[in-house]
Amino acid sequence: MLVAAEIKNLVEPAQLTDLDITWLPADQPTPKGDWVAIVPLLSRWVGGTELKNLPNVRIVANVAVGYNNIDLVAAEMRKVLVTNTPGVLTDATADLTWALILATARRLIEGVDLVRSGQWTGWHPEQLLGLELRGRTLGLFGAGRIGQAVGRRAVPFGLRLLYTARTPKPEFERETGATRVDPTRLFAESDILSLHVPASPETKGIINIESLARMKRGAILINTSRGDLIREEALATALERGQLGAVGLDVYTEEPAIHPRLRAAPRTVLLPHIGSATEETRRKMAAMAIANVQSVLGGKPPLTPVY
Ligand code: NAP
């Protein structure tokens, strides 16, 4: 099997004993050959051409919960199974989302820069005034595993919760007092809007000139989902004009490239896609991907199929 070389140190050697592995670094193209499984990172595109070049492949075991780097139609047509790593990264990603919420609301990076620059002249009653969270509205665009975990963490902060999802979440509503609304209301009423839908043709570019114009002036936008959800140029314009209060991002359309105007825009907290980056979570993700391959090669169903 072909396995992303970058997970080598994260996998327990005992899990690999019966496997014949070719380690594939992320900067090398997907080769042609008779491998029966591939375990890619989310940065590797696995489409029709790659699958055609791997005619014996039976499973693509992505080391991520998102799977927008895999052409599902091409995989299904070739009867190739696709798996992801749901659940194990929910807490880590929800924690990082909260790190971005607090960093943007309380202007953490500006404060750090001020201290580091040596320009701080002392306490001032109007210095770096941020957004008080209690009583504000947190809008969740998507309320699956991660969206709900972010929502549950909002309760002690005294935030009012709104969410948009395709199906209602009665237990989440009971637990947190959240209300399901349509996207129009979500955009109009959120003081902080956090994105938790997967990247798909329906969600591509949902943050664009029109939706940004519907947001409250001074609102905060957070994205720890996928870069494809945002039109980065429109977002840069909204920041430059002071239309948005702040933006916290972990993901970008053309990672690792970031739109230069977005990089230069004021009031941003830009992270290098570290949502699931804890030792425990990354180990669990690697183990789950390998376990999916073992299950399928052993004639059993995949543990976490995406379709
Ligand atoms: P999930 O459990 O599948 O939740 C997805 C949510 O999005 C569900 O509530 C779903 O609605 C909703 N949704 C899907 N399509 C929609 C649409 N067109 N309109 C409105 N709502 C829609 O996924 P998850 O585990 O929470 O993960 C969410 C995403 O986070 C992943 O896809 C991945 O891209 C991203 N992620 C990023 C990082 C990172 O490192 N930054 C780490 C982990 C995950 P229903 O519940 O009604 O189906």
Side-chain angles (χ1 to χ4, degrees), residues 65 93 143-146 166-167 169 197-198 224-226 250 273 275:
V65 67
T93 310
R145 289 169 292 250
I146 297 169
R166 294 172 300 193
T167 51
K169 316 286 175 202
V197 288
T224 58
S225 187
R226 282 290 182 268
D250 186 43
H273 203 150

Side-chain angles (χ1 to χ4, degrees), residues 61-117:
N62 216 29
V63 191
V65 67
Y67 43 84
N68 53 308
N69 58 310
I70 299 166
D71 183 339
L72 289 191
V73 176
E76 211 169 349
M77 271 167 52
R78 292 183 162 269
K79 300 199 168 34
V80 173
L81 294 163
V82 178
T83 61
N84 62 349
T85 62
V88 292
L89 36 60
T90 299
D91 280 331
T93 310
D95 288 348
L96 190 90
T97 306
W98 265 94
L100 282 174
I101 292 173
L102 290 168
T104 47
R106 297 305 302 275
R107 308 181 66 173
L108 225 68
I109 304 303
E110 288 161 275
V112 169
D113 287 349
L114 183 61
V115 171
R116 285 226 172 107
S117 72

